[in-house]
Amino acid sequence: MLTVAVLISGTGSNLRALLDAADDPGFPARIIVIGADREADGLAHAEAFGIPSFVVPWEAFDSREEWGAELDAQLRVWNPDLIVLSGLMRLLPHDVVAAWAPNIINTHPAYLPEFPGAHGVRDALAAGVGETGASVIVVDDGVDSGPILAQERVPVHEGDTEATLHERIKPVERRLLIDVVRRIAEGELDLGARPSPN
Ligand code: GAR
């Protein structure tokens, strides 16, 4: 059984979908802990499912590196096989990526490498494209630049706002994320070996 930690910043609707999927006894992965960089609304899903959670508040640290060191320490308590960034709106510092790569994946509301970064939906709208998408990638040291595991196109409709377009993308993201986690758990997708802990 693949053990998974999920990190969030917001409402956690994609997290919720993954929790619902993992609630099925036939699903080959189990979410063992949920972490956040703030008192995110999505932590309520952890409580609803009786799953432990932790917060490493971004504001409480002087640097990304110090914040990352505490995040890493929390993750090591649980030692998950896989870390899922599901709306974590922070770049992980190099040391955290190095410690857990390649077993960190991220969902992104655009068809990467198009529109990376914190405003993937807004940037697609501003660019006036007819379609954007959703992607699940392996996290590396760049901004949404790691290997793509799954992605799918989503149409932009006339009159779309950032909110309406994002709501059209999210169900696709959820489906891709659940499928990628399942494929990793079943050994169908091999992310590679994790370097020995230092
Ligand atoms: C998701 O669309 C996720 O892809 C995005 O934040 C949203 C979180 O929604 N992440 C990024 O944009 C990261 N660059 P949720 O909290 O409702 O799951």
Side-chain angles (χ1 to χ4, degrees), residues 8-16 42 45 85-90 106-110 115-121 134-135 143-144 166-167 169-170 173-174:
I8 62 168
S9 293
T11 55
S13 63
N14 290 348
L15 158 69
R16 174 66 192 224
H45 300 307
L85 310 188
S86 186
L88 180 76
M89 301 307 280
R90 305 280 173 202
N106 183 31
T107 66
H108 185 73
F115 312 115
H119 304 293
V121 181
S135 305
V143 178
D144 299 322
H166 206 165
E167 284 314 305
I169 292 169
K170 277 188 178 184
E173 270 191 80
R174 287 171 199 147

Side-chain angles (χ1 to χ4, degrees), residues 139-186:
V139 173
D140 67 6
D141 273 325
V143 178
D144 299 322
S145 55
I148 293 164
L149 298 171
Q151 62 185 168
E152 198 172 304
R153 286 290 185 187
V154 174
V156 179
H157 292 172
E158 210 170 310
D160 258 344
T161 62
E162 187 176 351
T164 59
L165 180 54
H166 206 165
E167 284 314 305
R168 189 172 317 111
I169 292 169
K170 277 188 178 184
V172 178
E173 270 191 80
R174 287 171 199 147
R175 183 160 41 73
L176 294 179
L177 176 63
I178 291 165
D179 191 52
V180 163
V181 171
R182 185 188 55 72
R183 282 158 61 206
I184 292 170
E186 289 177 345

